[in-house]
Structures are given as C-alpha cells and as structure tokens.
Amino acid sequence: MESEYVTTPFGRRPMTLALLLKQRRGEAIAAGTTRNKWKLFRSVCEARAGLDVTDRALTVLDALLTFYPEDELSSEKPLVVFPSNAQLSLRARGMAAATLRRHLAVLVEAGLISRKDSPNGKRYARRGREGGIDEAYGFSLAPLLARAGEIETMAARITADRQMLRAMKERLTICRRDIAKLLAAAVEEGIPGDWERVSSMFQTILQRIPRAATIENLTPILEEFEAIRGDIVNLLELHEKMQMASTSESQIERHIQNSHTESASESEPGLETGQGAKAAGQADRDQQPGTKPHNDRLKAQTKGGEGSRFDARPRAGELKSLPLATVLQACPDIADYGPAGRIGTWRDLMTAAIVVRSMLAVSPSAYEVAANVMGPETAATVMACILQRGGCINSAGGYLRDLTRRAERGEFALGPMLMALLRANSPGSVVASRSASGKRLEGLLGEPG
C-alpha cells in the first residue's frame, strides 16, 4: 500500500487543489484490487479519447509499465516506479527529454499517474535489510489501478459506439446504393413518378453527410434515406401489382363481353359466318313490326316475363343507373389503386379491384365467381366497398362469397350499400379520403403521370 501523506511537487512546480484531489483519488483503491497491467493498458488505449490523452503520452505510459516488475498491479504491493530519464527515454522509443517531460505532465493531468518526488527531486528507492523496498520516489501507478473500473467501462462504451458507427456507415452506404439503383431502374423502365424531384432530394441529403461522422449526425440522415428508399420500393411494388393486374386483362375482357348481352356480335361470334349469318338475317327480319315473332316478343315483354329485356326485377349486375362518379364518391380509397393512381373509366375500376383483391387476400376463384354472378362492374364496385369498409370486415373473401350467394338468390342490392357509404363520407367530394401510404407517396413523388 502507498503511504497516505501528501507529496508536494519538487522545484518550481506549484501545488494546486486539483493535484491534491488527484492524489487522494489515487489512494482510494479498494482492498484486494488487482489488474493485469497490459490488459488495463489496452483499455486505456481504447478509452484514449475519453481520457483526453495523446498517443505519445500512451507511449510514455507503456514505458513506465515496463519498469513495474510484475504483470499484476495489486493494491497490496508498492506501485511506484523510479526509472532514470535516460532509461525511460530508451523504452519510450528514444523520445527526447523535453518531449518526455511534456507527456509525463499529460499523464499526471489526466489522472493516470501521480508524482512522488524525493527531497532532491531524484527518482530512487530505499531498501531494507531484507532487500525489500521501504520507500520509493518516482511515478506512482496507483491512480491507474484506482480508476481501472472506470477506464474499462469507458473503453467498453467507446468500443460499442465505434462498432455501432461502423454498422451505421455500412447501412448508409447500402441505402445510398439502393436508392441510386432503384431510381435508375425506375427511369429506365419508364415507371410513372416525379423521379427528378426524388433524385434532387437524394442529392441534397448526400451533401449533408459530414466528413467527421458521428452517431448523432448520421442517425437523422440514415432515417431520411431509409424513408426515401421505402417509398420508392412501395411505388415500384404498386406498379408491379398493376402490371400483374394487366395480365388478367383477357379475363376482365371476357367478363365484360359476358355482361353486355345486348350485343349479338360479342355474345355469339358464330353469327358472322355460315349458318350464323343466315340466323342473324332471320333475327333482323323478326324484329320488324307486324311480324309474328315481333308481336310474340312484345307480349312477353309486356307481361314482364323472366327472359324479357324489360324485366321489372333489378339485377345486381346492372349499374346503368349508378354513374362511376357516384361509386368513387362512396368509395374514394379505391382510386389509389387505379392505373397511374386515378380511376377514370369502369375498366380502370376493374383493374384496381384486381389489385385490391390480391391485397385483401381474396382468392381469384371467389372474385371470378362474383364477377360471373354479379357482372364485372358490380364485382369491382363491391371490392371497392369492401376496401372502404376494411376496418369493419374481418374476412374480405368470406364477405364477398356471402354477397355472391345472396346475389344468386336475388337478395342482394348494391344501391343501399353505396348510399350508406355516401352518407359516411363528406358530400361533394369524389375522393374524400386517401390512405396513409397514398398520401406519403403522393407527397414525395407527386402525382404519377
């Protein structure tokens, strides 16, 4: 153990309160404290920035530790080393005497060593009869051992911060690469979007990356990059869903043809040639007033027969009395999934319905059955209603199948469903609300062209 009396500096060096406190701090070593001196020195090197010491000062500390005869620093043993200036200079890689004194002062100021000056300022030790050291004058390593726990904690924190900063730089590099390549792919593929604006935002953020990067100044930049990358990916995925929907165009076209029964050329293409042409001519003659077939058909229609074009019972597939604008006013959310982010025709609505069907996990078979029973326009409108009421419907597929069965029994009417949604939305707005993702993409990328 070191003696507990205070030692004042030799020569012209003044005594200060800070120096007194450092000496007392160096004496406050818990009993039984031991550390491997080289492991502790490694921790000091790791915590160099927090301890405010230079690499040259660490070279001097390394040289001082070599003069301690054992590998373990112990509170139970003397911790004073007393090398001469010449020997200390040699072990400090030949450091000049003036430079050596300057860095010794840095170590003292940092609280890693303390001076224990002799009466004449020389460094030496007095030994007893048994050969042991009774008193030594030089540099005490007690402050280093006393702060061992603090130094190790500081070193662990700095190491963790350095690893985190390295990982953050890697993420930033990958994010920069992803954004640049995704932008290039979007422009090359001709995907609609305000890509020039996104590129300008990207370059502006790049210029904000500091040369001396820290966790604090890189965190907001990385968050902005990841947000931009996420928005670009969302838009590209939306475009991909639209492309997948376009592959089902033939299926939609078949539904449209099946629903327009008034057109003989679409429902019965065989009438164009051969016997079909003769049948078509006969059908035209039957339409002439005064003929028996025409009179029989007129009677049947007047009675309201089941096969009559003037059947008084409404069918779910007939949307002639419901304009598209009314459907969009009742179900504004469906507009986000239309081609180019808008819906202008019934075909656009049906394309958007296929995208929504996939998003809501409605099976293709369930939607195809609904389109066959209700008609493609009505099925698309029902999907728009389901999307609008998404928070109230647990299973979109089961709900669609239930409506299809009700339509087969003639128990389903689309009008009341739309009227209820119209009352729920603000009047006079074709698109009364937007989804959160739609707003974000629209704010970042503008209205896709």
Side-chain angles (χ1 to χ4, degrees), residues 122-428:
K122 302 295 184 178
R123 295 191 284 273
Y124 59 88
R126 293 190 182 278
R127 299 182 182 272
R129 292 181 179 182
E130 298 179 357
I133 297 176
D134 288 340
E135 192 70 52
Y137 299 98
F139 299 102
S140 174
L141 301 176
L144 180 63
L145 183 59
R147 299 182 63 188
E150 174 193 349
I151 291 172
E152 290 166 349
T153 302
M154 187 184 303
R157 185 181 69 249
I158 292 176
T159 301
D161 289 346
R162 184 170 60 250
Q163 293 174 350
M164 184 181 298
L165 181 61
R166 185 186 302 116
M168 188 172 293
K169 287 181 178 179
E170 291 175 355
R171 288 172 55 194
L172 188 67
T173 300
I174 293 174
C175 200
R176 288 173 59 181
R177 182 184 66 198
D178 291 346
I179 293 175
K181 290 185 177 292
L182 288 172
L183 284 174
V187 173
E188 184 177 352
E189 296 290 337
I191 298 175
D194 194 355
W195 304 117
E196 184 176 353
R197 180 184 172 208
V198 179
S199 179
S200 176
M201 292 173 57
F202 177 51
Q203 295 299 326
T204 301
I205 299 175
L206 279 178
Q207 295 174 1
R208 289 168 41 203
I209 299 179
R211 291 183 179 273
T214 63
I215 295 177
E216 290 73 19
N217 57 29
L218 279 190
T219 299
I221 294 176
L222 180 59
E223 289 176 354
E224 292 184 54
F225 273 152
E226 290 180 340
I228 292 177
R229 180 178 61 182
D231 289 337
I232 295 175
V233 169
N234 288 340
L235 188 67
L236 296 181
E237 289 179 349
L238 181 60
H239 178 78
E240 180 65 21
K241 289 178 181 179
M242 292 180 179
Q243 290 293 103
M244 293 174 60
S246 67
T247 60
S248 305
E249 188 69 28
S250 59
Q251 179 182 358
I252 297 175
E253 184 67 28
R254 176 166 55 84
H255 289 328
I256 295 175
Q257 291 175 354
N258 291 342
S259 65
H260 293 285
T261 55
E262 297 89 344
S263 174
S265 61
E266 289 183 0
S267 59
E268 298 184 22
L271 297 179
E272 306 253 341
T273 58
Q275 295 179 353
K278 295 180 181 179
Q282 182 62 40
D284 290 338
R285 287 190 296 273
D286 290 344
Q287 297 294 331
Q288 297 296 326
T291 62
K292 185 176 184 301
H294 177 269
N295 293 337
D296 293 341
R297 188 178 297 107
L298 183 60
K299 290 178 181 179
Q301 293 171 354
T302 304
K303 293 179 180 180
E306 185 174 350
S308 171
R309 291 178 57 192
F310 300 99
D311 190 349
R313 294 177 299 168
R315 292 180 295 175
E318 292 184 351
L319 291 177
K320 296 293 189 295
S321 60
L322 293 174
L324 180 61
T326 303
V327 176
L328 295 178
Q329 184 176 350
C331 309
D333 287 353
I334 193 68
D336 291 326
Y337 304 93
R342 61 174 64 89
I343 292 178
T345 63
W346 284 105
R347 184 181 296 274
D348 292 345
L349 179 64
M350 288 183 281
T351 301
I354 291 180
V355 176
V356 171
R357 175 201 65 73
S358 176
M359 183 184 70
L360 297 180
V362 176
S363 64
S365 60
Y367 185 72
E368 185 175 359
V369 171
N372 288 332
V373 173
M374 304 178 183
E377 296 96 335
T378 302
T381 304
V382 169
M383 286 305 306
C385 294
I386 293 175
L387 174 66
Q388 195 66 35
R389 299 181 56 199
C392 306
I393 299 174
N394 294 329
S395 173
Y399 187 69
L400 180 63
R401 289 184 184 276
D402 180 66
L403 293 182
T404 303
R405 288 191 292 266
R406 290 170 56 188
E408 286 178 329
R409 298 193 301 265
E411 299 173 356
F412 171 62
L414 185 59
M417 179 184 292
L418 288 176
M419 292 304 107
L421 289 174
L422 280 173
R423 287 191 297 270
N425 295 331
S426 58

